[in-house]
Amino acid sequence: MNDMSPPRAPATISDVAEIAGVSIKTVSRVFNEEPNVREETRQRVLQVVADLDYHPNIAARSLAGRKSLLIGLLYDNPCANYILGLQSGSLDRLRGDKWRLLVVPCEDSWQMGGKSTVSMVRAAGVGGVILTSPICDNAEIVNTLLAARIPMVRIAPAHGVGTSQIAPSVGMDDRSAAAEITRHLIALGHRRIAVILGDPTHSSTHERLAGFHRAMGEAKLEIDPSLVTRGLYTFESGLEAARVLLDRPDRPTAVFAHNDDMAAATIVAAGERGIAVPGELSVAGFDDSQFATTIWPRITTIRQPIRAMAQAATDALVHIMEGSHRAPEHRVMPYELIVRGSTGGVPL
């Protein structure tokens, strides 16, 4: 016979307080990890919480304490793998903590200006924000957030914007990384190297192009401007650019795509034309995303510390929101060149 009794209502903070024999305020102090609670009382409350399978309402706690426990991750990036990496890194840092992550897709709305962005942040109820590129390079947004005293940390800001005088930031040396992967192609004998650029609104695009120029200049190699083509960090834009490059009668022997999505698209375009990779064409990417190891041949790329950058940015923001008065700094995370099967010597 089926049990037709109605489902039991979820436990409340009042239930916890009553069974533990303490006040609601004491239960709140335990949740907020305040020091003025005896250890015996803390353990008793936590045991009741476990017995009742009670889950505190984060929004209600924020309102009651007049302090938001939500961290906003603001992004406008077409690369899903990049955003998932950032989200995973932030969640890794917050696991088991009282803080919660709210991922806020801004798309093009951030271009409306600082006041609109601050209004959106306040409407979402977050107490601090992590700004990703290109949002973190918008001076109006940064200044408006500063004026509103909303804590922020930026991931991968542009050179000159990532200074410690503004706010904490985390990034990597895109320019040096791009130079290193270009040197790898040059060492394999490639001279006609094409570049598929990323989104022009992202500072990383300009840094990676500068790194390419640095390595080519070091090797005293001329750059054919017609081999530097526009992309948008999307697979589709990479496919379009690669098809144009590979349909040339004097096609390049190597392509450096500014992310793995576009590098994967280049391998697909080569396959459409019967061009062997790496036998007839070498392809290099950037990020070491899922694309890099799910396509064949696997992609030679730069392993960008996406999750580590998000962890560091989230940790810095938590310290600010908890009242720690650290001096703002720009933290540079290490990268790694990963050589796989998509690059080889110049075809004979």
Side-chain angles (χ1 to χ4, degrees):
M1 183 175 178
N2 292 333
D3 184 3
M4 301 299 292
S5 59
R8 200 168 98 186
T12 66
I13 191 171
S14 298
D15 296 330
V16 174
E18 182 179 352
I19 295 174
V22 298
S23 67
I24 292 176
K25 190 172 184 179
T26 298
V27 176
S28 296
R29 285 173 175 165
V30 172
F31 288 149
N32 291 325
E33 299 179 1
E34 295 180 18
N36 54 339
V37 179
R38 289 194 303 179
E39 186 59 28
E40 179 187 349
T41 303
R42 187 187 306 278
Q43 292 302 322
R44 186 165 72 252
V45 169
L46 292 176
Q47 184 59 56
V48 172
V49 167
D51 292 343
L52 295 179
D53 192 25
Y54 173 69
H55 299 281
N57 185 308
I58 297 297
R61 285 173 60 191
S62 296
L63 287 172
R66 295 185 180 180
K67 177 181 178 182
S68 174
L69 297 177
L70 289 174
I71 289 174
L73 174 64
L74 277 59
Y75 75 91
D76 175 17
N77 191 307
C79 182
N81 287 314
Y82 182 78
I83 299 306
L84 285 173
L86 292 178
Q87 181 176 328
S88 297
S90 288
L91 290 174
D92 285 345
R93 167 57 184 84
L94 297 176
R95 188 168 289 113
D97 210 331
K98 62 185 177 183
W99 304 94
R100 296 295 181 266
L101 184 70
L102 181 66
V103 181
V104 185
C106 295
E107 298 175 345
D108 295 328
S109 61
W110 62 272
Q111 298 187 39
M112 296 171 60
K115 290 183 178 179
S116 297
T117 303
V118 169
S119 296
M120 179 181 64
V121 167
R122 283 178 168 159
V126 301
V129 293
I130 299 170
L131 304 179
T132 62
S133 180
I135 303 171
C136 64
D137 294 327
N138 186 301
E140 183 184 350
I141 289 176
V142 170
N143 290 332
T144 307
L145 286 169
L146 285 172
R149 296 187 177 182
I150 296 175
M152 79 180 106
V153 176
R154 293 164 303 144
I155 293 180
H159 272 293
V161 182
T163 56
S164 60
Q165 289 84 356
I166 299 175
S169 57
V170 178
M172 63 163 284
D173 191 341
D174 284 271
R175 187 175 301 195
S176 293
E180 184 167 343
I181 204 165
T182 304
R183 292 188 197 105
H184 166 71
L185 295 173
I186 294 171
L188 291 172
H190 295 281
R191 300 297 179 265
R192 284 186 59 75
I193 304 173
V195 180
I196 302 180
L197 303 171
D199 190 319
T201 66
H202 290 241
S203 61
S204 58
T205 295
H206 307 288
E207 290 300 305
R208 292 171 194 178
L209 180 59
F212 171 74
H213 276 268
R214 177 197 290 176
M216 293 291 280
E218 290 170 351
K220 296 181 170 53
L221 296 176
E222 289 189 12
I223 298 172
D224 183 346
S226 68
L227 294 181
V228 179
T229 60
R230 285 290 176 190
L232 291 170
Y233 282 140
T234 63
F235 182 92
E236 293 74 17
S237 68
L239 190 61
E240 181 180 350
R243 285 168 174 167
V244 172
L245 288 170
L246 300 183
D247 284 340
R248 295 172 57 121
D250 58 343
R251 70 175 185 242
T253 64
V255 175
F256 168 33
H258 275 188
N259 75 347
D260 294 333
D261 294 54
M262 298 190 297
T266 302
I267 293 175
V268 169
E272 292 174 344
R273 287 151 180 76
I275 299 171
V277 177
E280 298 174 270
L281 177 74
S282 285
V283 179
F286 205 106
D287 286 345
D288 197 27
S289 69
Q290 185 179 7
F291 258 131
T293 54
T294 54
I295 196 166
W296 187 261
R298 294 177 177 175
I299 299 172
T300 292
T301 188
I302 291 291
R303 178 172 291 165
Q304 182 174 193
I306 298 172
R307 288 180 70 143
M309 289 194 297
Q311 286 176 344
T314 306
D315 184 66
L317 185 58
V318 165
H319 276 88
I320 294 172
M321 295 173 70
E322 287 182 339
S324 175
H325 297 291
R326 288 182 176 180
E329 63 178 358
H330 178 62
R331 184 173 177 186
V332 180
M333 310 296 286
Y335 64 85
E336 183 181 359
L337 171 64
I338 306 296
V339 179
R340 297 194 179 100
S342 67
T343 54
V346 177
L348 300 176

